[in-house]
Amino acid sequence: MPKLSDVKFPADCATLPAGFWSAVGVWVEKPHVVNKRLCGAKETEAKDAQDVSLLLDVPHDPDVLSFLTCKVSPARTHERDTSCSSSVRTFIPKVSDGANLRREVVLRDFDRQQVTFLPLEEDTDGRVSLKKSNVYQIQLCSHDSKGWSLELHVLFPDSWFSDGVVYPKLPWLTSDLLPKLVRWGSECRTSEFKSTLSLLPVEKYSLVYQQLKDKYKSMVKVWPEVTDPEKFVYEDVAIATYLLVLWAEEREEKGLADRQSFVDLGCGNGLLVHILTCEGHPGKGLDVRRRKIWDMYGAQTLLEEKAITPGESSLFPGVDWLIGNHSDELTPWIPIIAARSSYSCRYFVLPCCFFDFFGKYQRRQCKKSQYKEYIDFITELSQVSGFNTEEDCLRIPSTKRVCLVGKTRTYPRSAEAEAEAEQRRARYVQSRQTTPGVAGQRSDIRNDDDCCHGNADGEVTSGSSWGAGFQPRDRVEVVRNCASLPRDFVDGIVLQVAKSLLGMTVDDGGGRHGDWNRGGSLSVSEVAGLLEQETLQLLKKECGGLQTLLKNNHQVFRVEGGRVRIRDWRDGNTLRADAKRKPVAPGALKTRPCWFHAHHAQGCPLQAELCAFAHGADDLRPSTRPLKKMKLEAFVFSQSS
């Protein structure tokens, strides 16, 4: 087989040959991590040489017979051959109708340190044959003292067929795939968590996700919240897809006719509730604070502004599933609430911020990542609550992607077993309440709308004994990022700090860029020394304090490496950091005045037509566009029709 290319491993690589097979496993089982047009792959075992020959229907093909027989010997049909293995891989594209999925035979030869891929094609009569033009092989080669390399062999490189999805162009194998395999083989890292979508059929997930994405993508254009619309819309579409497929599999497994009901605890923007409702599942969402976006969903989406305190008043005996999507301080309580609601109540949680039952979660193991330790904590309490707990990893644009699912119980349905399980739950909750450093803790995490909800300063809500001591968030969001400080107060600090920087001479670390004075630099602590104690005390109440205030005034200051400088908008660093900003178009809206034009002795270093800020009142063009009311009304109508 002709060699097309080879890529060398690092000289000090000590993970081979085991690392090679680990990398091959990633490419075979999770091709979507390299080929972004795939959703995944499904691998099934081909048990013996007869299975492979029948599948290929080309047992006497002279081009492939030689390396087929050396991988799976017919003489070993009835005995296990540990030197080789064969399997069939089915590709699942991101965009597909689920029919005519492409397959290939994967032959691993452990003695020769090589893996061969034999693509299959099926005609209209259902006959399967080998697609010889796309047969390729990857081999690990040892060069003695010169180290290791990966070689790519292609049976017929001149006849390679590319469909742009399952089969990219041939140079892609060299430029993208081989370097990835080398990196994976060199690192040979094992994840702390399971592979993505390990509990679901990936092919079904792919189809449902594409349908929901097309159906709800218009939400991005009408998103009224201050959060990133693409992240939140597509993340909730992916979570909804996961739940819909999970529930469909459950109905098929249990023979259920009715769609499962649900309650989303801490539903935030409510989009997940809206999607699940529109897809036919009865349910509602509860959250301590109403969001602006709730008004656009329509009457069929049930969202309730309500503080949730663990107790007898917060049980849901008639509900099939409880959902905790980034539910923060409610996360550890959801398995408890589900277990106490009814024997048949199940749950799904996607943990984000780290909370214990009565405050912030405190780390206890330094050998694990904080995230892994917290997932293990939620898993433990779920098991104590009586659930057979399953872990999975979602495909969402977030670093916190691990979810936990409790579908079945570890004990039988009986009054005696339930009483014993309740005693275990109560003892576990009580043990966490008396753990030093847990009870009474408050979170200083800022509430960024729909994620990372901290425990705000609020009164302890009374309930039943098992929820006593829990502190929900305040109904009113507390903003502590310096954005709510009086404008005159902020402007005074900005002017004072800027004058000190501009007043520095060259000997003091100051500088000029051409004829324009851009001043010197000070550390954040030196800047703090310029301010009065009363001012500093007020800033200490804000998250990030003085540094946050300076970074918020991005137009004037550049804060890097703990030092503060005047921002020069002609500077190369500023241009690179601001590369995503579009150039100012003629007639563009300028809603904020230019600080340098008003306060710098030499004015703004940019001409008015090049500056993104207004040079005087005549250059100020405040936006008069109405809120997205028309689009919102159109969206509500389209969803209800």
Side-chain angles (χ1 to χ4, degrees):
M1 188 180 294
K3 183 176 76 171
L4 188 66
S5 177
D6 68 322
V7 179
K8 295 185 181 302
F9 282 87
D12 58 348
C13 183
T15 60
L16 302 172
F20 166 69
W21 291 111
S22 175
V24 168
V26 175
W27 169 234
V28 172
E29 298 168 14
K30 297 183 285 187
H32 56 278
V33 300
V34 187
N35 187 346
K36 300 303 181 182
R37 296 185 178 181
L38 296 176
C39 182
K42 181 180 180 180
E43 187 182 16
T44 55
E45 183 180 359
K47 297 181 180 180
D48 51 44
Q50 185 178 7
D51 289 345
V52 175
S53 297
L54 289 174
L55 187 60
L56 293 176
D57 198 25
V58 285
H60 305 296
D61 192 310
D63 293 318
V64 298
L65 181 61
S66 59
F67 59 85
L68 276 179
T69 54
C70 76
K71 305 300 184 298
V72 185
S73 173
R76 294 176 175 176
T77 298
H78 300 292
E79 62 181 81
R80 183 170 180 81
D81 183 5
T82 58
S83 67
C84 62
S85 71
S86 56
S87 61
V88 177
R89 175 167 68 158
T90 303
F91 292 100
I92 304 170
K94 282 187 175 179
V95 181
S96 171
D97 58 2
N100 300 321
L101 297 178
R102 295 190 182 275
R103 296 182 297 161
E104 67 181 13
V105 175
V106 181
L107 300 175
R108 295 175 174 89
D109 189 336
F110 301 108
D111 289 341
R112 294 172 177 81
Q113 303 290 349
Q114 63 189 26
V115 57
T116 306
F117 299 89
L118 306 169
L120 307 175
E121 55 185 354
E122 187 174 339
D123 61 21
T124 55
D125 296 327
R127 290 190 295 266
V128 178
S129 61
L130 177 67
K131 190 176 184 63
K132 295 168 63 173
S133 62
N134 285 38
V135 174
Y136 68 99
Q137 184 181 88
I138 299 171
Q139 183 173 24
L140 176 66
C141 300
S142 174
H143 304 284
D144 298 327
S145 59
K146 295 183 180 180
W148 301 80
S149 69
L150 277 189
E151 291 185 354
L152 173 66
H153 301 265
V154 179
L155 186 59
F156 297 115
D158 295 335
S159 304
W160 182 270
F161 167 76
S162 173
D163 62 3
V165 181
V166 173
Y167 304 119
K169 293 181 179 180
L170 192 55
W172 180 89
L173 295 176
T174 302
S175 62
D176 290 67
L177 178 58
L178 282 193
K180 283 283 189 181
L181 292 174
V182 168
R183 182 165 70 84
W184 295 338
S186 303
E187 296 172 349
C188 199
R189 294 185 300 181
T190 57
S191 174
E192 293 181 304
F193 306 106
K194 289 189 175 183
S195 300
T196 58
L197 309 180
S198 61
L199 301 181
L200 302 181
V202 179
E203 59 274 21
K204 290 185 180 180
Y205 176 91
S206 176
L207 290 173
V208 176
Y209 178 77
Q210 193 59 47
Q211 293 168 0
L212 295 186
K213 185 178 178 181
D214 292 341
K215 185 175 181 179
Y216 297 100
K217 63 184 178 181
S218 58
M219 289 286 299
V220 174
K221 299 180 181 179
V222 299
W223 192 255
E225 305 289 340
V226 296
T227 49
D228 181 7
E230 289 196 359
K231 177 188 185 302
F232 282 93
V233 170
Y234 294 131
E235 180 172 322
D236 281 357
V237 165
I239 297 171
T241 302
Y242 188 93
L243 289 171
L244 290 172
V245 176
L246 181 71
W247 294 346
E249 292 293 295
E250 182 184 58
R251 291 197 302 275
E252 183 177 348
E253 177 185 343
K254 295 183 178 181
L256 302 176
D258 296 333
R259 293 179 182 262
Q260 296 90 331
S261 60
F262 70 93
V263 173
D264 187 350
L265 302 178
C267 63
N269 59 49
L271 179 56
L272 179 60
V273 177
H274 177 66
I275 296 175
L276 295 176
T277 300
C278 290
E279 298 306 312
H281 286 270
K284 65 179 179 179
L286 306 177
D287 200 278
V288 71
R289 195 178 78 256
R290 184 181 185 84
R291 308 300 201 274
K292 291 183 292 185
I293 197 173
W294 288 12
D295 295 328
M296 66 182 288
Y297 292 137
Q300 80 281 3
T301 302
L302 303 179
L303 299 169
E304 185 178 345
E305 186 177 13
K306 177 183 179 181
I308 305 160
T309 301
E312 298 302 323
S313 61
S314 296
L315 297 181
F316 306 92
V319 173
D320 295 320
W321 282 80
L322 297 186
I323 299 172
N325 173 22
H326 293 186
S327 46
D328 303 327
E329 69 267 27
L330 284 172
T331 297
W333 287 102
I334 289 177
I336 303 283
I337 295 174
R340 284 173 163 156
S341 291
S342 70
Y343 184 84
S344 60
C345 187
R346 290 88 78 191
Y347 80 86
F348 165 94
V349 293
L350 180 62
C352 180
C353 298
F354 309 135
F355 285 91
D356 210 314
F357 291 112
F358 305 101
K360 292 171 64 178
Y361 179 80
Q362 301 296 303
R363 295 197 64 179
R364 292 166 176 80
Q365 301 182 38
C366 60
K367 294 184 179 180
K368 298 180 181 179
S369 67
Q370 185 178 15
Y371 186 43
K372 172 60 175 173
E373 183 182 341
Y374 187 68
I375 293 296
D376 288 346
F377 161 62
I378 301 299
T379 301
E380 178 186 76
L381 74 88
S382 173
Q383 293 169 343
V384 171
S385 298
F387 283 101
N388 291 308
T389 308
E390 297 177 282
E391 177 187 304
D392 205 352
C393 191
L394 305 186
R395 290 185 185 172
I396 56 177
S398 172
T399 57
K400 308 291 176 59
R401 302 186 296 142
V402 177
C403 70
L404 296 174
V405 179
K407 295 194 295 184
T408 59
R409 301 296 174 92
T410 58
Y411 58 91
R413 185 198 292 262
S414 70
E416 182 180 356
E418 187 64 46
E420 292 177 356
E422 178 57 31
Q423 289 180 2
R424 290 194 297 270
R425 297 177 200 123
R427 284 196 300 267
Y428 188 82
V429 172
Q430 186 178 10
S431 70
R432 305 298 300 187
Q433 189 172 23
T434 57
T435 300
V438 174
Q441 293 233 355
R442 323 273 300 208
S443 170
D444 293 326
I445 301 173
R446 181 170 61 87
N447 185 347
D448 285 330
D449 195 62
D450 295 309
C451 184
C452 298
H453 310 295
N455 278 338
D457 295 334
E459 297 181 358
V460 177
T461 307
S462 62
S464 66
S465 59
W466 56 273
F470 171 79
Q471 291 188 313
R473 285 170 285 148
D474 196 353
R475 189 177 297 274
V476 179
E477 180 184 7
V478 179
V479 179
R480 294 188 296 170
N481 63 348
C482 297
S484 59
L485 292 173
R487 188 70 252 176
D488 292 343
F489 175 80
V490 174
D491 290 344
I493 295 176
V494 171
L495 187 60
Q496 182 180 354
V497 175
K499 283 185 176 180
S500 297
L501 293 172
L502 293 173
M504 297 176 68
T505 64
V506 175
D507 294 337
D508 295 329
R512 290 177 177 270
H513 188 85
D515 295 328
W516 192 76
N517 177 24
R518 58 181 182 181
S521 71
L522 294 170
S523 67
V524 175
S525 60
E526 289 172 334
V527 172
L530 302 174
L531 307 178
E532 298 178 356
Q533 284 299 316
E534 183 179 352
T535 300
L536 293 175
Q537 289 297 324
L538 185 57
L539 289 175
K540 283 183 178 180
K541 298 178 181 179
E542 303 294 315
C543 293
L546 175 60
Q547 183 164 269
T548 296
L549 184 145
L550 296 172
K551 287 184 175 181
N552 286 352
N553 287 272
H554 167 85
Q555 181 192 164
V556 183
F557 301 114
R558 184 158 56 94
V559 183
E560 295 176 350
R563 299 198 67 82
V564 184
R565 297 174 176 84
I566 293 292
R567 183 175 295 277
D568 186 347
W569 287 91
R570 303 168 301 171
D571 186 70
N573 291 331
T574 296
L575 294 175
R576 282 193 295 273
D578 216 44
K580 293 184 179 180
R581 290 175 62 93
K582 297 180 181 179
V584 181
L589 297 173
K590 296 184 179 183
T591 60
R592 298 180 60 189
C594 176
W595 187 92
F596 295 107
H597 177 79
H599 299 286
H600 196 286
Q602 295 165 295
C604 179
L606 299 177
Q607 297 178 0
E609 57 269 20
L610 299 178
C611 184
F613 305 97
H615 285 201
D618 294 339
D619 199 25
L620 190 64
R621 301 185 182 92
S623 175
T624 57
R625 291 176 298 181
L627 193 61
K628 305 172 182 178
K629 184 176 180 181
M630 297 296 291
K631 291 184 178 180
L632 292 177
E633 292 176 349
F635 177 82
V636 173
F637 176 78
S638 66
Q639 293 297 303
S640 59
S641 60

